[in-house]
């Protein structure tokens, strides 16, 4: 039987190392206040509850030579060789250092919560009744640098409010209870110790996002802004899209669960709930020397990244297939992959094209038409140098003609600002389709794009607004009726 030491104080918690500072702080506080309280009556010390923990190992991680775990998934061994950790049988295995530290801690620090009792005192109960027989339990074998060895098993959950599990050490017939931390760490597969890739997504390189499965849609970056292109075409809100792109930049995978070739049904990945595909634009990677000069440049071709979202892994995460490996992704950083719909992305600003992208504006109202041609020319100073702003950006002069005749540019800008800021935010009934002829039509053109905004009578006080033939919103009729052409 192993020699067992019993402690009179609670063991250190790997989750709250700052508690180690508590005695020091209390001592400092006591010294500082000693004079002030010197004349007060002494406080009667109450008896302290006896500590019931049992210490089987309280070492540093560096004292572990090897640690082998057998759980429901597999048996695997982590080895230390020349100060470096290796996964036995997989020389290319790259550890997630945080997960590795948690795993090795359970071999270096083995301390029970309390003693349940000796097997012989349970009226015929056996190891199987505690989930501690070989076929049911988690088994760990740890070898240390001093030549000693510790084998222990973790079984079923203890039936009490606080989550703990039954525990036994080899050659000891006593049943103990250990923390949930130990169980949760050792029930993981070896893949959980594998490093998780850094996605390092850049919003400015994302050209399109496709959501398949639940509520499918596709959005694409166009020269004049983002559009939803499926299930129908419609301009998207710049602010809403920037929020989504920011979430994509912050996307993280939490933990590797299964490697290439893994069976997908257990993770709900044969028919995923959602599949999200990012189209990444071509880019140039630049390398610099020690003096900050360009040393080399590499062009990366366009490519796609796909995230398949499967079943929930627990209350706060779900399984995600990325580049043929199964990961856990948390609801906190990746939940939007499952929940993002297109409704919140739709733009309520039908005329949202910046002036510097506009070359032609055609206006037709009740049969009367006008055409505005917009041109930007570089602003030249008296010394023939280009005029720039404080950041060195070239400034431009705006010139506008209406049906070939010059128009005051400031008057046009005031007119166009009213169009750009005009908002149609009330939703039309589902399935509403434009009928008849619109009373007012705006056609906006620029390099590589044309957008048509049409106003249809909805009732005596409102107009339906269609963008490129799709009507989703309506507005008050007075909004467009009050517009005065420059």
């Amino acid at each position: 039987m192993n020699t067992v030491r019993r402690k009179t104080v609670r063991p250190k918690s790997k989750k709250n190392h700052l508690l180690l500072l508590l005695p020091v702080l209390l001592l400092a506080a006591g010294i500082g206040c000693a004079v002030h309280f010197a004349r007060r009556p002494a406080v009667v010390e109450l008896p302290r509850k006896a500590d019931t923990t049992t210490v089987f190992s309280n070492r540093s991680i560096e004292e572990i030579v090897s640690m082998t775990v057998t759980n429901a998934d597999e048996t695997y061994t982590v080895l230390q060789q020349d100060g470096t950790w290796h996964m036995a049988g997989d020389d290319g295995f790259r550890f997630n250092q945080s997960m590795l530290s948690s795993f090795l801690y359970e071999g270096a620090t083995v301390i029970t919560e309390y003693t349940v009792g000796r097997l012989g005192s349970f009226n015929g109960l056996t190891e199987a009744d505690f989930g501690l027989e070989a076929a049911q339990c988690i088994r760990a074998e740890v070898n240390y640098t001093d030549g000693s060895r510790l084998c222990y098993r973790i079984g079923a959950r203890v039936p009490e409010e606080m989550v703990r599990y039954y525990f036994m050490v080899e050659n000891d017939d006593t049943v103990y209870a250990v923390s949930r931390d130990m169980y949760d760490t050792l029930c993981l597969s070896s893949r959980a110790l594998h490093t998780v890739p850094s996605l390092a997504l850049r919003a400015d390189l994302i050209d399109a996002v496709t959501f398949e499965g639940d509520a499918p849609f596709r959005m694409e970056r166009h020269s004049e802004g983002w559009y939803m292109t499926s299930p129908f075409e419609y301009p998207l809100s710049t602010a809403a899209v920037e929020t989504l792109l920011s979430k994509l930049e912050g996307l993280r995978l939490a933990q590797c669960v299964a490697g290439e070739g893994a069976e997908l049904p257990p993770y709900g990945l044969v028919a995923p709930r959602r599949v999200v595909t990012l189209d990444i634009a071509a880019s140039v990677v630049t390398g610099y020397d020690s003096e900050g000069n360009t040393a080399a440049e590499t062009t990366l071709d366009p490519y796609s990244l796909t995230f398949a979202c499967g079943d929930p892994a627990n209350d706060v995460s779900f399984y995600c297939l990325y580049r043929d490996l199964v990961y856990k992704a948390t609801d906190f950083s990746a939940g939007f992959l499952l929940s993002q719909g297109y409704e919140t992305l739709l733009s309520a600003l039908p005329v949202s094209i910046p002036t510097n992208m506009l070359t032609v504006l055609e206006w037709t109202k009740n049969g009367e038409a006008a055409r505005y041609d917009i041109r930007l020319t570089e602003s030249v100073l008296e010394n023939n140098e280009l005029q720039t702003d404080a950041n060195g950006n070239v400034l431009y002069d705006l010139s506008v003609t209406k049906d070939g005749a010059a128009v005051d540019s400031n008057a046009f800008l005031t007119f166009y600002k009213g169009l750009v800021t005009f908002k149609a935010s009330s939703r039309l009934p589902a399935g509403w389709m434009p009928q008849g002829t619109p009373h007012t039509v705006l056609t906006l053109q620029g390099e590589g794009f044309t957008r048509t905004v049409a106003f249809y009578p909805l009732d005596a006080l409102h107009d339906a607004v269609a963008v490129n033939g799709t009507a989703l919103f309506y507005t008050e009729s007075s909004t467009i009726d009050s517009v005065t052409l420059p």
Side-chain angles (χ1 to χ4, degrees):
M1 181 181 295
N2 290 349
T3 301
V4 174
R5 296 184 289 114
R6 296 189 178 274
K7 296 181 66 176
T8 57
V9 295
R10 296 293 294 177
K12 295 181 290 183
S13 170
K14 64 177 179 179
K15 302 298 183 184
N16 297 285
H17 291 296
L18 290 178
L19 292 178
L20 295 173
L21 295 176
L22 186 58
V24 177
L25 296 175
L26 293 176
L27 179 60
I31 294 174
C33 299
V35 175
H36 180 73
F37 293 104
R39 296 181 180 179
R40 293 196 173 191
V43 177
V44 177
E45 290 192 9
L46 298 175
R48 298 178 62 184
K49 184 178 179 180
D51 182 30
T52 58
T53 62
T54 302
V55 180
F56 289 96
S57 176
N58 193 15
R59 310 166 185 252
S60 67
I61 286 174
E62 289 71 23
E63 294 179 70
I64 296 176
V65 173
S66 68
M67 182 169 172
T68 300
V69 168
T70 300
N71 57 31
D73 293 317
E74 60 184 321
T75 297
Y76 59 93
T77 300
V78 176
L79 304 167
Q80 182 177 190
Q81 296 175 348
D82 301 324
T84 303
W85 296 99
H86 302 269
M87 181 67 70
D90 189 348
D91 294 336
F93 194 95
R94 298 177 59 192
F95 285 101
N96 177 319
Q97 294 303 315
S98 175
M99 294 299 297
L100 176 63
S101 295
S102 296
F103 174 81
L104 294 172
Y105 180 91
E106 303 302 349
T109 306
V110 183
I111 304 175
T112 65
E113 296 283 307
Y114 60 83
T115 301
V116 177
R118 298 173 67 88
L119 277 178
S121 64
F122 293 130
N123 297 323
L125 295 182
T126 66
E127 293 176 354
D129 296 303
F130 298 95
L132 288 165
E133 66 176 5
Q136 298 174 290
C137 68
I138 296 172
R139 183 180 184 275
E141 178 180 333
V142 191
N143 292 286
Y144 303 102
T145 53
D146 62 3
S148 61
R149 170 177 167 274
L150 175 65
C151 293
Y152 62 82
R153 289 170 285 163
I154 304 173
R157 179 176 171 177
V158 179
E160 60 184 15
E161 183 176 355
M162 183 69 71
V163 180
R164 297 186 178 93
Y165 291 84
Y166 292 117
F167 172 96
M168 287 187 73
V169 169
E170 188 178 75
N171 299 323
D172 184 347
D173 64 353
T174 304
V175 179
Y176 301 90
V178 291
S179 70
R180 177 179 184 173
D181 290 343
M182 178 180 284
Y183 175 86
D184 287 346
T185 300
L186 299 185
C187 72
L188 298 174
S189 69
S190 61
R191 298 303 306 183
L193 304 183
H194 196 276
T195 187
V196 176
S198 174
L199 301 177
L201 296 173
R202 283 178 48 186
D204 60 326
L205 294 179
I206 299 176
D207 276 350
V209 185
T210 304
F211 292 83
E212 299 175 275
D214 295 341
F217 69 98
R218 177 176 171 82
M219 50 189 285
E220 298 177 5
R221 187 196 298 270
H222 290 184
S223 60
E224 73 277 21
W226 280 84
Y227 278 78
M228 184 172 70
T229 57
S230 176
F232 52 84
E233 182 178 307
Y234 205 83
L236 300 179
S237 163
T238 299
V241 170
E242 287 179 349
T243 298
L244 173 57
L245 294 178
S246 178
K247 291 179 180 178
L248 287 169
E249 283 190 326
L251 182 61
R252 301 289 184 272
L253 298 172
Q255 184 184 107
C256 186
V257 177
E260 293 185 24
E263 294 292 330
L264 297 182
Y267 308 105
L269 290 168
V270 173
R273 290 186 287 169
R274 207 94 186 272
V275 177
V276 182
T277 303
L278 310 181
D279 292 346
I280 309 298
S283 60
V284 177
V285 178
T286 304
Y288 299 91
D289 60 23
S290 58
E291 297 180 356
N293 300 315
T294 301
E297 288 187 345
T298 301
T299 300
L300 300 180
D301 293 331
Y303 63 97
S304 296
L305 295 177
T306 299
F307 302 87
C309 307
D311 290 342
N314 50 42
D315 292 340
V316 296
S317 67
F318 59 92
Y319 295 113
C320 181
L321 183 66
Y322 171 71
R323 290 188 168 176
D324 298 324
L325 273 69
V326 180
Y327 296 88
K328 283 183 182 178
T330 66
D331 295 339
F332 177 75
S333 76
F336 70 94
L337 297 178
L338 290 166
S339 62
Q340 181 67 59
Y342 65 73
E343 289 287 343
T344 58
L345 299 174
L346 300 174
S347 176
L349 303 172
V351 184
S352 56
I353 297 171
T355 311
N356 62 356
M357 300 190 69
L358 193 64
T359 59
V360 176
L361 187 154
E362 294 180 337
W363 172 282
T364 302
K365 184 174 182 179
N366 297 326
E368 297 183 4
R371 175 188 170 104
Y372 296 85
D373 289 278
I374 301 93
R375 182 183 177 193
L376 292 175
T377 57
E378 297 168 334
S379 179
V380 181
L381 299 172
E382 293 181 359
N383 60 2
N384 289 327
E385 292 185 358
L386 297 178
Q387 185 177 4
T388 60
D389 61 16
N391 297 320
N393 299 311
V394 176
L395 298 178
Y396 292 85
D397 293 325
L398 178 71
S399 61
V400 183
T401 61
K402 177 182 179 181
D403 298 327
V407 172
D408 180 78
S409 59
N410 289 328
F412 178 83
L413 287 174
T414 300
F415 155 74
Y416 191 67
K417 181 180 179 181
L419 294 179
V420 169
T421 56
F422 144 66
K423 181 179 292 187
S425 54
S426 299
R427 286 301 302 265
L428 287 164
W432 190 93
M433 297 292 291
Q435 297 180 358
T437 302
H439 62 74
T440 303
V441 178
L442 282 170
T443 302
L444 307 151
Q445 296 180 20
E447 186 176 353
F449 72 87
T450 299
R451 181 184 297 183
T452 301
V453 182
F455 296 80
Y456 293 82
L458 183 63
D459 55 36
L461 299 176
H462 300 94
D463 289 332
V465 184
V467 180
N468 291 345
T470 300
L472 299 178
F473 299 94
Y474 69 90
T475 186
E476 295 181 357
S477 303
S478 58
T479 302
I480 199 67
D481 289 341
S482 63
V483 173
T484 302
L485 300 182

